Amino acid sequence: MIRKRTPRIRTNRKKTIRPKKRKPLINHPEPLVSIIIPALNEKATLPAVLREAGRVHPRSETIVVANGSTDGTPDVARRLGARVIWSPDPLGHDVGRRVGAEAAKGRALLFIDADMVIPAGQLRPFAEAVLEGGVDVALNGYSGPPNRREPHPVVVAKHVLNAWLARPDLRGASLTAIPHALSRKALQTIGSSVLDVPPLALAAAVLRGLEVRAVHTVQVGRLNPRRRRKGSRDLLTSLVLGDHLQAIHGLIREKGVRGGYDDLGRLRDKVR
């Protein structure tokens, strides 16, 4: 007797559907936050920097100002979804920030560097201070190494400028340190060209009555890579000190030789 085999019923196993890989950055067509990143040969750190930038706000755009790069930095930035502004010549960080600001569309402009990976959670307070806190210039509260017997000249310059601006509460906070953020109102009030000299931009913001505040502290001194010196000269220190002198000169031109401070009862004209 031949037994009939019971036909097996084959069940279709559900295939695991893997989500398509998305670029880590999506530039929103109507961004609230513009994240501006100057970059010069930062291929190694740029992916991590862009990853954190993409997590700052759901409606953001990321602009990489790739200037003078020869290591493929612009290609890395494009592949990861950033808007790229390219220049064959090195522009310097400050000019790069100005170029990025002029192309930005957001209400808050957040400035970071391509060689320093800062977690998104440490970047959000600057954007939020502008979007929700009524701040026009959101500064990093980092004031430099506080415990040195001989403070660094740049730290001294920052404190001096803020004292001249009658803002000793800012201590060593400055637009020379990232992260920092500007409102669209601040950009329109002080103009983009002044961003080439960050201390001058800070002075302009204070003198124009904008809301300037140190909103959060990121210890960038620990993250900032050491800069090479040219012989015994520290060229970056010389540059930043010159920028602060230019800001103080502008303040004197606008507010007088005492920078707006009262001369009290001195009758200087009587002895001339």
Side-chain angles (χ1 to χ4, degrees), residues 130 133 135 167 185 187 258:
V130 173
V135 177
R167 290 296 308 271
K185 174 185 173 183
L187 185 64
R258 293 180 58 82

Side-chain angles (χ1 to χ4, degrees), residues 95-109:
V95 176
R97 292 185 187 116
R98 188 250 294 173
V99 171
E102 291 173 344
K105 301 176 183 177
R107 281 175 43 201
L109 282 64

Side-chain angles (χ1 to χ4, degrees), residues 181-207:
L182 300 178
S183 68
R184 176 63 54 179
K185 174 185 173 183
L187 185 64
Q188 293 171 343
T189 301
I190 66 176
S192 62
S193 62
V194 78
L195 298 180
D196 289 353
V197 184
L200 191 61
L202 177 62
V206 172
L207 292 175

Side-chain angles (χ1 to χ4, degrees), residues 17 19 21 23 28 37 41 44 51 59 61 68-69 89 96 99 111 131 166 186 196-197 205 213 217 222-223 231 243:
I17 301 174
K21 290 184 179 180
K23 292 181 179 180
H28 198 281
I37 312 172
N41 290 335
R51 181 188 66 235
R59 287 181 59 183
E61 64 173 351
S69 292
D89 302 314
V99 171
F111 300 86
L131 293 177
D196 289 353
V197 184
R213 198 184 308 167
T217 299
R222 299 173 183 174
L223 302 172
D243 287 350

